Amino acid sequence: MTYLNNTSKVKTNKIRVGRGIGSGKGKTSGRGIKGQKSRSGVAIKSFEGGQMPLYRRLPKRGFNSIKKIKIAKINLKNIQKIIENKKINSETIINLNFLKKEKIIHKKYKQYKILGSGEIKDKFNFEADFISKSAKAKLEKSGSKVTLKKAN
């Protein structure tokens, strides 16, 4: 064993099971005596002794589409925060690629929606897939231009 300043343990030795009764984990290797769980290759996760398992007793609910497109949502207050922190110039078009490049939204998103919580103080060009009514009104009030992409 290695110690650091004799106060905290850095590394502990691996327990070698089945190496004699003197080791503390010998003979049955900590598995008890006999029975299904003492044997190798056994996995009894949801087995309930022959009773119908809970996951099969409950009805199936809902549907998850594999084609569903995840839409990133971003509020005006978050965009304003980015503008204040990063000092973005007014010629920059704020679109999906820009937000991904600045690591504001995750790269897995294919579309994004602007939501209306907060205020935008400066004039900017936005390119979004969707926009809420309140966000559109606030952006038009600030003099910003919003371009909506056509849905696929």
Side-chain angles (χ1 to χ4, degrees), residues 6-152:
N6 293 333
T7 54
S8 62
K9 198 181 274 189
V10 175
K11 184 180 174 188
T12 57
N13 291 338
K14 182 181 165 191
I15 296 170
R16 298 178 70 221
V17 295
R19 296 296 188 277
I21 55 170
S23 68
K25 286 273 188 239
K27 194 184 168 214
T28 55
S29 306
R31 286 175 171 265
I33 306 158
K34 295 185 179 178
Q36 190 177 7
K37 286 160 89 180
S38 71
R39 323 239 183 252
S40 66
V42 176
I44 332 167
K45 286 196 173 69
S46 62
F47 186 69
E48 296 180 19
Q51 174 178 296
M52 186 62 68
L54 182 67
Y55 72 91
R56 286 182 61 196
R57 276 180 275 165
L58 299 175
K60 291 196 271 183
R61 294 274 309 196
F63 173 77
N64 290 325
S65 174
I66 57 170
K67 295 179 182 178
K68 185 178 178 183
I69 297 168
K70 297 263 186 179
I71 299 169
K73 297 170 194 85
I74 188 162
N75 275 303
L76 290 176
K77 63 181 175 189
N78 298 353
I79 296 170
Q80 183 60 39
K81 220 180 273 183
I82 297 154
I83 292 165
E84 289 168 3
N85 292 347
K86 306 231 178 186
K87 308 282 191 286
I88 303 168
N89 57 348
S90 58
E91 289 83 47
T92 307
I93 297 171
I94 299 173
N95 59 14
L96 187 68
N97 292 335
F98 172 78
L99 294 170
K100 282 181 180 179
K101 192 177 79 183
E102 294 295 324
K103 295 183 179 169
I104 295 151
I105 61 175
H106 197 270
K107 63 184 177 186
K108 71 179 177 183
Y109 292 110
K110 305 278 188 275
Q111 296 178 330
Y112 88 104
K113 179 175 183 172
I114 302 171
L115 301 176
S117 176
E119 292 289 330
I120 287 280
K121 296 176 184 123
D122 304 317
K123 186 177 170 182
F124 281 94
N125 288 340
F126 290 91
E127 196 178 283
D129 298 289
F130 307 99
I131 189 166
S132 69
K133 288 178 186 175
S134 60
K136 190 171 188 177
K138 287 177 182 179
L139 287 173
E140 286 171 354
K141 192 177 101 179
S142 72
S144 296
K145 185 183 167 194
V146 181
T147 311
L148 289 178
K149 289 189 210 170
K150 297 278 183 194
N152 295 342

